[in-house]
Amino acid sequence: MASRRVSLLLGVLLAYSAAFAVSAANFNQEFDITWGEGRGKILDNGQLLTLTLDRTSGSGFQSRHEYLFGKIDMQLKLVPGNSAGTVTAYYLSSQGSTHDEIDFEFLGNVSGEPYTLHTNVFTQGQGQREQQFRLWFDPTNDFHTYSILWNPKHIIFMVDDMPIRDFRNLESNGVAFPKNQPMRLYSSLWNADDWATQGGRVKTDWSHAPFSASYRGFRADACVAVAGGKTRCGAAAVGTQGAAAGAAGAAAGDWYNQELDLTLQQRMRWVQRKYMIYNYCTDPKRYPQGLPAECSMQ
């Protein structure tokens, strides 16, 4: 009986691994390395991407597709050791002065001290919605999955499928929400020692360079922007407004209407109680005229 259970478990694990291998995208097909003069590399037949930072330059890449809503997953292994002054940014963004943006940024630290996970949401060019966290693991020891779930009602930030932040659509209360501008996925590794580590008090130690971050396991279950102001969700290519938006949802899959159930809300609150170190909604000194409207509604 025990051997049968072991065999069944191994079968499930192998099936899961095979499904993941199929669904994980090829970096050669999905991304372009856009700067760094060779410091960004795609390896292992498109299954691994690395970015490097040295005293001369950092590096970065961007997706070939633009997305209008989606579930975006990426596995990252961050700069190990003394990473003070470095920032590994992983984010969705549109272009222009009224751009939308959804940010993960990983702020390095001196050896033995924890990374800071910095999140932010921009709508129509306005950001300043920062929440920061410590992680409950060492993000340099192994790959971990960082996900953005963006649908018409929510922007949910997740770490290894654990929700850490939910920015809700509160347009009915006058709060702008990103929903009309397609966004590319970007990532970069760069030097920000004027502010990144302990407010800029700890500078980059270039004797530890080159610094390197690694990426694998990219998956985008998303609506892709195509010609004519339309999106392609699954096998469909539909418009993004009105009844067409409903068709997009039907084609996209469960993520398009996904919300946090009670269990996931409780897990998110647990993360926020134990690991959140900054929340713009609890910083009244920053807003002498009053906290942003969403702070009383989230």
Side-chain angles (χ1 to χ4, degrees):
M1 189 68 178
S3 61
R4 180 182 298 176
R5 285 198 298 267
V6 171
S7 296
L8 286 172
L9 177 59
L10 287 173
V12 170
L13 290 173
L14 288 170
Y16 176 85
S17 299
F20 181 83
V22 169
S23 60
N26 188 298
F27 283 106
N28 282 313
Q29 297 172 358
E30 297 293 330
F31 292 97
D32 292 312
I33 295 176
T34 49
W35 64 284
E37 297 181 334
R39 292 173 179 83
K41 292 182 171 61
I42 297 175
L43 306 168
D44 296 347
N45 295 316
Q47 297 305 303
L48 178 70
L49 189 152
T50 61
L51 294 181
T52 299
L53 164 69
D54 59 30
R55 189 186 288 272
T56 301
S57 177
S59 50
F61 63 88
Q62 70 180 42
S63 64
R64 294 183 177 179
H65 296 300
E66 292 181 297
Y67 308 103
L68 187 62
F69 305 128
K71 170 74 159 44
I72 309 294
D73 301 320
M74 183 78 82
Q75 294 184 13
L76 280 76
K77 184 162 66 171
L78 300 179
V79 175
N82 186 344
S83 58
T86 71
V87 173
T88 306
Y90 159 61
Y91 60 102
L92 290 166
S93 184
S94 58
Q95 297 297 308
S97 60
T98 58
H99 74 290
D100 296 335
E101 188 171 323
I102 305 169
D103 289 344
F104 276 110
E105 290 186 293
F106 304 90
L107 314 185
N109 215 330
V110 293
S111 298
E113 295 297 320
Y115 264 79
T116 295
L117 170 53
H118 177 101
T119 67
N120 203 356
V121 176
F122 286 74
T123 57
Q124 299 173 17
Q126 300 298 313
Q128 300 186 343
R129 297 186 176 98
E130 300 93 343
Q131 290 183 356
Q132 294 183 339
F133 303 82
R134 301 298 193 200
L135 292 165
W136 48 94
F137 53 84
D138 184 343
T140 73
N141 278 344
D142 204 351
F143 287 91
H144 292 267
T145 303
Y146 303 91
S147 305
I148 296 168
L149 173 62
W150 171 37
N151 65 31
K153 295 182 180 179
H154 296 268
I155 296 169
I156 301 172
F157 296 77
M158 290 177 282
V159 178
D160 290 334
D161 291 326
M162 178 78 79
I164 64 171
R165 179 177 184 178
D166 183 2
F167 185 83
R168 294 162 48 208
N169 185 338
L170 298 169
E171 285 184 308
S172 59
N173 299 100
V175 179
F177 185 85
K179 69 173 189 178
N180 296 316
Q181 300 187 61
M183 295 194 261
R184 292 187 192 276
L185 181 66
Y186 298 87
S187 191
S188 58
L189 175 58
W190 52 292
N191 178 46
D193 66 3
D194 56 333
W195 64 272
T197 306
Q198 300 177 34
R201 292 188 297 274
V202 180
K203 303 300 183 182
T204 304
D205 184 348
W206 294 108
S207 69
H208 295 278
F211 306 98
S212 182
S214 301
Y215 302 74
R216 72 179 189 190
F218 169 70
R219 289 179 290 179
D221 190 357
C223 295
V224 176
V226 294
K230 297 181 179 181
T231 56
R232 185 183 68 249
C233 305
V238 298
T240 58
Q241 300 297 327
D254 293 341
W255 63 263
Y256 194 87
N257 296 301
Q258 186 175 336
E259 300 182 292
L260 297 180
D261 61 19
L262 181 58
T263 298
L264 290 175
Q265 289 180 40
Q266 291 172 339
R267 290 176 181 173
M268 181 178 71
R269 287 195 290 269
W270 175 81
V271 169
Q272 292 178 348
R273 283 195 307 269
K274 288 186 65 69
Y275 297 105
M276 183 185 285
I277 59 172
Y278 178 80
N279 182 1
Y280 74 109
C281 282
T282 59
D283 190 359
K285 291 182 180 179
R286 185 176 176 183
Y287 302 99
Q289 305 303 317
L291 292 171
E294 68 268 17
C295 291
S296 61
M297 306 173 198
Q298 291 280 8

